[in-house]
């Protein structure tokens, strides 16, 4: 068998050790579904030549805007941009945000070539303002390119993709930051044990999750990153979320119960990823990643858009220092008759990322405003989302995160109707902490994604999800996006003049009477929960909390 024909940028000895080449294979399939399977199985992963051919084909097929710089543009501009500088001394563009070029078995000529290509990309893409993933992408593509110009053209095609449904790399701080928030939301839902560990050991969990792309584009060894990139080129951005979630699951499995190696969990995760070969093979990493039943691509896109909108509303569109989550619930300015600072921080660690930087704002307190459901609605209307807290006379504490404005109850013509989205959840804090999310999150087999074209859903009198106006973007996890076998899995919140109900199907997760005096709790289909406190209880106190934007630092 002939040795692989590495190009002049590759350190042959390092490459032979990192990814042993088993010789050429042929790839004849053209169907996307078959390509997906072959990519996941690593069909071209052990053939240097075949991987190069596949990359060429997949990148050539990316739909791009009409004027996309190609190899000839690179040859025209590289001399003017680089000048007489040596490649090794070239500065990196600002958009890489001080990200270093990963070596990926490149020799010194290859590492210099990456710098030249990045500078030429910066010249041709002035609209790319923040893209720390690009050095790793260019370094990998250089392996499978005949020369610098061909690598430049491939990277440009990835950046110039104009298919709105096919996001490839973040190119602005707003897009990057919203991706970090979206990843945090996914961790909160799919890696709850790891999330609990992160909250316990990190000063600011959002800063830990903001590092997720670095795990993939920089810390992963070449043989792992190449396998991820194989699948990424076929399936798109969602693959990156899957792999990063799998990394966090393995980190938690290995480190749970052990002292962290440093007082900085970000550095510990980076070190874990660099040495991931000690824990798991590339095959097992991808196997774990694709065992995670994520939301649909469209649903994740809606979440990303919601996070982008929240950042814009906060004025965060360029890089700036973020406020620590711990400062959102601060001991000096937080007071509740039901929970302490630590318990409220636990609740805040569960809420969607776009609200986690907000400060808690007391909207209603039965001790201040009286034991009246009418007053509760009056104080809460116009606020979205809210947190409901209940303390029983037995000193049990439970509650709910409610995604939707209570004024939605008025759409049902005085009849009791359910509304809300799949971001709602219920919880108990005393005697022990437990959260129960929408049953579909843990059991996606209950549903198949439904088309998202605007439709009108007529409300039924007893348990309906309110219809969406055709010109309004459906919220993340709106039940109309899902084909549910029955309505009992989507009964989130309801309110009438004589009662308030959270969860339904088989009974409410929480029921409170109109005098805020008595309540009951039990299992419900929507949250698949255990009773949140004594099944029939007397209420000592009720509070509702909203979310208030802090001043931007």
């Amino acid at each position: 068998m002939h040795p692989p024909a590495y190009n002049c940028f590759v350190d042959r000895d390092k490459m032979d050790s990192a990814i042993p080449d088993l010789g050429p294979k042929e790839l004849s399939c053209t169907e996307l579904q078959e390509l997906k399977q072959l990519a996941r199985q690593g069909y071209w992963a052990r053939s240097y030549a075949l991987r190069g051919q596949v990359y060429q084909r997949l990148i050539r097929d990316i739909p791009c805007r009409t004027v996309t710089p190609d190899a000839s543009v690179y040859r025209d501009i590289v001399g003017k941009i680089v000048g007489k500088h040596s490649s090794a001394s070239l500065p990196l563009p600002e958009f890489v945000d001080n990200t270093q070029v990963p070596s990926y078995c490149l020799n010194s000529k290859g590492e210099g070539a990456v710098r030249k290509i990045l500078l030429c990309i910066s010249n041709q893409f002035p609209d790319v303002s923040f893209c720390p993933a690009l050095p790793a992408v260019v370094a990998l593509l250089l392996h499978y390119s005949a020369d610098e110009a061909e690598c430049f053209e491939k990277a440009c095609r990835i950046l110039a993709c104009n298919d709105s449904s096919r996001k490839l790399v973040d190119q602005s701080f707003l897009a990057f930051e919203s991706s970090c928030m979206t990843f945090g939301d996914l961790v909160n839902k799919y890696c709850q044990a790891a999330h609990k560990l992160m909250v316990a050991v990190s000063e600011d969990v959002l800063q830990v999750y903001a590092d997720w792309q670095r795990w993939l584009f920089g810390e992963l060894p070449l043989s792992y990153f190449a396998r991820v990139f194989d699948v990424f080129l076929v399936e798109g951005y969602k693959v990156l979320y899957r792999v990063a979630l799998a990394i966090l699951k393995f980190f938690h499995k290995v480190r749970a119960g052990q002292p962290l190696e440093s007082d900085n969990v970000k550095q510990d995760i980076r070190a874990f990823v660099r040495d991931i070969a000690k824990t798991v093979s590339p095959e097992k990493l991808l196997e774990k990643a694709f065992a995670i039943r994520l939301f649909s691509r469209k649903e994740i896109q809606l979440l990303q858009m919601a996070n982008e909108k929240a950042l814009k509303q906060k004025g965060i569109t360029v890089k700036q220092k973020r406020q620590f989550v711990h400062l959102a619930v601060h001991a000096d300015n937080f007071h509740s008759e039901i929970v302490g600072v630590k318990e409220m921080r636990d609740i805040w660690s569960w809420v969607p990322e776009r609200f986690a930087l907000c400060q808690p704002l007391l909207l209603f307190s039965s001790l201040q405003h009286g034991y009246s459901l009418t007053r509760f609605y009056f104080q809460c209307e116009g606020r979205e989302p809210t947190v409901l807290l209940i303390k029983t006379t037995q000193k049990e504490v439970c509650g709910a995160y409610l995604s939707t404005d209570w004024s939605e109850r008025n759409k049902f013509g005085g009849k009791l109707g359910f509304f809300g989205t799949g971001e709602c959840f219920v919880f108990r804090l005393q005697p022990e902490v437990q959260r129960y999310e929408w049953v579909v999150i843990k059991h996606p087999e209950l549903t198949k994604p439904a088309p998202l074209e605007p439709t009108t859903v007529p409300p039924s009198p007893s348990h309906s999800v309110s219809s969406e106006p055709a010109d309004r973007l459906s919220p993340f996890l709106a039940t109309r996006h899902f084909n549910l076998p029955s309505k009992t899995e989507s009964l989130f919140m309801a309110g009438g003049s004589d009662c308030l109900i959270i969860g339904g199907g088989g009974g409410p997760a929480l029921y409170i009477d109109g005098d805020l005096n008595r309540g009951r709790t039990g299992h419900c289909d929507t949250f698949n929960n255990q009773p949140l406190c004594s099944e029939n209880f007397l209420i000592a106190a009720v509070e509702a909390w909203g979310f208030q934007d802090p001043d931007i630092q």
Side-chain angles (χ1 to χ4, degrees):
M1 184 176 70
H2 297 291
Y6 298 131
N7 63 30
C8 62
F9 306 112
V10 177
D11 185 313
R12 177 177 295 275
D13 293 336
K14 289 181 181 177
M15 190 65 179
D16 284 341
S17 173
I19 308 179
D21 194 281
L22 302 181
K25 292 180 180 178
E26 293 184 357
L27 184 69
S28 58
C29 78
T30 57
E31 294 294 327
L32 177 61
Q33 201 58 38
E34 190 177 354
L35 268 178
K36 270 182 164 183
Q37 291 305 315
L38 293 176
R40 293 186 184 190
Q41 293 164 9
Y43 180 82
W44 55 80
R46 294 296 182 131
S47 171
Y48 184 85
L50 184 59
R51 179 177 262 151
Q53 294 170 26
V54 173
Y55 281 9
Q56 184 78 18
R57 172 181 159 184
L58 292 173
I59 294 173
R60 181 196 64 210
D61 291 343
I62 292 173
C64 293
R65 53 198 190 214
T66 307
V67 181
T68 299
D70 59 13
S72 63
V73 170
Y74 182 82
R75 296 186 186 101
D76 289 342
I77 66 174
V78 64
K80 302 169 191 172
I81 291 173
V82 173
K84 296 180 180 179
H85 293 283
S86 69
S87 299
S89 65
L90 288 173
L92 291 172
E94 286 189 16
F95 66 63
V96 307
D97 191 42
N98 298 316
T99 303
Q100 297 304 305
V101 175
S103 63
Y104 287 163
C105 302
L106 296 174
N107 55 30
S108 58
K109 181 177 181 179
E111 292 180 5
V114 174
R115 290 175 174 269
K116 290 163 66 177
I117 294 165
L118 288 169
L119 282 173
C120 289
I121 289 173
S122 178
N123 173 268
Q124 293 295 300
F125 287 85
D127 53 329
V128 175
S129 57
F130 197 85
C131 192
L134 202 56
V137 171
V138 171
L140 179 63
L141 290 177
L142 190 59
H143 276 269
Y144 303 99
S145 303
D147 54 25
E148 295 172 16
E150 184 182 305
C151 179
F152 168 84
E153 180 174 325
K154 288 174 179 172
C156 288
R157 290 194 67 81
I158 289 172
L159 289 171
C161 175
N162 63 0
D163 182 349
S164 60
S165 68
R166 190 177 177 185
K167 176 182 176 181
L168 291 176
V169 291
D170 296 321
Q171 300 178 35
S172 68
F173 183 73
L174 179 63
F176 174 85
E177 190 78 348
S178 62
S179 294
C180 294
M181 293 169 67
T182 300
F183 177 70
D185 286 324
L186 296 176
V187 173
N188 202 347
K189 295 190 180 303
Y190 292 102
C191 305
Q192 291 186 9
H195 180 65
K196 186 176 181 180
L197 175 65
M198 296 300 106
V199 170
V201 302
S202 60
E203 188 175 40
D204 180 15
V205 71
L206 299 189
Q207 291 293 339
V208 176
Y209 297 151
D211 215 33
W212 78 279
Q213 288 196 24
R214 178 167 176 159
W215 307 342
L216 309 178
F217 296 96
E219 303 296 355
L220 268 183
L222 173 61
S223 58
Y224 288 73
F225 178 59
R227 285 296 305 277
V228 173
F229 200 77
D230 292 347
V231 189
F232 163 74
L233 280 181
V234 178
E235 301 191 37
Y237 198 92
K238 187 175 172 181
V239 167
L240 304 181
Y241 286 134
R242 287 186 179 281
V243 176
L245 290 169
I247 286 172
L248 202 57
K249 282 179 175 284
F250 279 117
F251 176 80
H252 174 259
K253 183 178 180 181
V254 170
R255 296 295 171 84
Q258 298 180 14
L260 295 174
E261 294 178 0
S262 74
D263 58 359
N264 187 332
V265 71
K266 279 178 68 170
Q267 297 300 329
D268 280 350
I269 297 176
R270 289 179 186 178
F272 173 80
V273 176
R274 284 194 296 272
D275 295 330
I276 197 168
K278 296 177 181 177
T279 303
V280 62
S281 67
E283 292 74 23
K284 289 294 184 184
L285 179 63
L286 288 175
E287 185 181 306
K288 173 73 81 174
F290 286 103
I292 301 169
R293 299 284 298 277
L294 279 186
F295 303 125
S296 70
R297 182 184 287 111
K298 186 66 178 179
E299 205 64 39
I300 291 176
Q301 187 180 358
L302 288 171
L303 176 57
Q304 180 102 7
M305 291 167 65
N307 285 331
E308 280 199 16
K309 182 179 178 182
L311 287 168
K312 286 178 181 176
Q313 289 174 341
K314 291 179 172 64
I316 302 175
T317 57
V318 296
K319 189 175 182 183
Q320 56 187 269
K321 187 174 181 182
R322 290 205 317 202
Q323 185 184 31
F324 284 174
V325 168
H326 277 46
L327 297 182
V329 186
H330 198 278
D332 292 344
N333 56 21
F334 174 77
H335 176 72
S336 165
E337 299 293 341
I338 297 178
V339 297
V341 170
K342 181 184 181 303
E343 292 167 312
M344 199 59 155
R345 284 177 178 169
D346 284 339
I347 297 169
W348 239 241
S349 74
W350 297 332
V351 306
E353 291 283 348
R354 60 190 184 277
F355 302 115
L357 288 178
C358 297
Q359 295 170 341
L361 175 68
L362 183 63
L363 304 176
F364 172 83
S365 166
S366 57
L367 300 180
Q368 293 180 32
H369 300 105
Y371 289 79
S372 163
L373 189 55
T374 302
R375 186 63 186 270
F376 172 91
Y377 292 141
F378 177 79
Q379 295 294 127
C380 293
E381 285 183 1
R383 291 284 181 171
E384 182 180 292
T386 54
V387 172
L388 172 69
L389 295 177
I390 299 167
K391 185 176 184 179
T392 74
T393 55
Q394 300 299 310
K395 298 186 177 180
E396 302 156 307
V397 175
C398 59
Y401 170 85
L402 303 167
S403 65
T404 305
D405 189 335
W406 277 107
S407 64
E408 288 284 309
R409 78 188 195 285
N410 297 322
K411 291 186 176 181
F412 299 98
K415 297 180 180 179
L416 195 65
F418 280 86
F419 52 97
T421 72
E423 286 194 294
C424 293
F425 60 82
V426 295
F427 57 84
R428 64 168 173 258
L429 297 175
Q430 297 288 348
E432 72 278 334
V433 176
Q434 184 68 51
R435 171 176 53 148
Y436 299 96
E437 294 194 285
W438 185 28
V439 64
V440 170
I441 293 171
K442 286 193 174 180
H443 298 282
E445 67 276 6
L446 291 174
T447 177
K448 292 182 180 179
L452 295 186
E453 288 77 24
T455 58
T456 302
V457 182
S460 68
S462 59
H463 52 268
S464 171
V465 179
S466 61
S467 61
E468 296 286 348
D471 61 348
R472 177 182 169 190
L473 177 68
S474 297
F476 173 60
L477 294 190
T479 53
R480 61 191 290 268
H481 300 173
F482 298 85
N483 286 326
L484 294 167
S486 69
K487 293 282 181 67
T488 62
E489 289 87 7
S490 60
L491 305 179
F492 298 111
M493 51 192 290
S497 58
D498 58 350
C499 70
L500 174 155
I501 299 174
I502 312 297
L510 274 173
Y511 172 95
I512 301 174
D513 68 13
D515 297 324
L516 305 188
N517 182 33
R518 296 177 179 273
R520 65 176 185 269
T521 177
H523 172 273
C524 79
D525 294 343
T526 300
F527 300 113
N528 193 29
N529 60 288
Q530 297 298 312
L532 303 176
C533 57
S534 301
E535 293 194 22
N536 292 285
F537 57 87
L538 295 176
I539 295 172
V542 175
E543 291 178 350
W545 290 82
F547 294 74
Q548 177 173 267
D549 282 341
D551 293 334
I552 302 299
Q553 300 297 311

